[in-house]
Amino acid sequence: MVKSIALAGLLVLLLGLIIFQYIITSVPSLEPPITVSDARRVDDNNSLLVSLTGSEGRRFTLGLRGDIEEKPEEAALFFISRPTLVPYVYWPGFRTNDEKRVLNLLTSWEKNRKAPSEDSEHAAYQIYSVLKGRN
């Protein structure tokens, strides 16, 4: 009886950890209109970082690390899905489903935007162009 309870507790714990891992590594579906709330370039590690905000106020931070101009196919995508819950940086693999989900999110942003008016929107468009070029 004790072994059964311990095994059931372990299974519940593992299931909880799997759900938690999914929550912090999934690409959110932001409600339109999606706006670029922040963008910056970090020269130390050659990264481009952009924060998107949906109409409900939820933020999604994504970026590319690597030489975007010379070798865009080698630039690694990273994102932080829930920065207020856990500031966990997730690095999906090249041409994976997570990368395609980020591209779909940027595609919906790009379809609804007007002419690029700010540097932050230009940075988001650079990331969009690199990801679109990979697929």
Side-chain angles (χ1 to χ4, degrees):
M1 178 76 174
V2 173
K3 290 181 182 179
S4 298
I5 293 172
L7 182 60
L10 183 60
L11 289 174
V12 168
L13 177 66
L14 288 175
L15 182 63
L17 289 173
I18 289 170
I19 291 170
F20 180 72
Q21 188 266 343
Y22 175 77
I23 288 171
I24 64 172
T25 60
S26 63
V27 177
S29 58
L30 300 178
E31 294 296 321
I34 300 170
T35 58
V36 177
S37 55
D38 186 28
R40 56 194 151 173
R41 181 176 294 278
V42 181
D43 292 329
D44 292 347
N45 55 12
N46 204 14
S47 296
L48 183 61
L49 190 68
V50 174
S51 292
L52 302 175
T53 305
S55 64
E56 73 283 354
R58 184 162 178 208
R59 286 185 63 168
F60 178 66
T61 304
L62 64 124
L64 288 176
R65 182 176 184 182
D67 191 356
I68 298 170
E69 284 81 26
E70 298 294 322
K71 298 179 183 176
E73 67 279 354
E74 294 179 11
L77 174 70
F78 62 92
F79 61 82
I80 304 170
S81 183
R82 297 186 186 262
T84 55
L85 177 65
V86 176
Y88 176 73
V89 179
Y90 180 60
W91 298 82
F94 289 106
R95 295 173 184 86
T96 60
N97 287 335
D98 288 328
E99 190 173 280
K100 290 176 186 172
R101 288 182 190 107
V102 171
L103 177 61
N104 289 339
L105 182 65
L106 287 171
T107 300
S108 69
W109 163 77
E110 202 275 330
K111 284 181 183 176
N112 295 321
R113 76 182 179 114
K114 297 178 173 77
S117 58
E118 303 174 11
D119 289 338
S120 59
E121 287 190 353
H122 178 68
Y125 189 76
Q126 281 183 302
I127 294 173
Y128 168 74
S129 298
V130 168
L131 293 180
K132 189 171 181 174
R134 287 185 188 170
N135 292 321

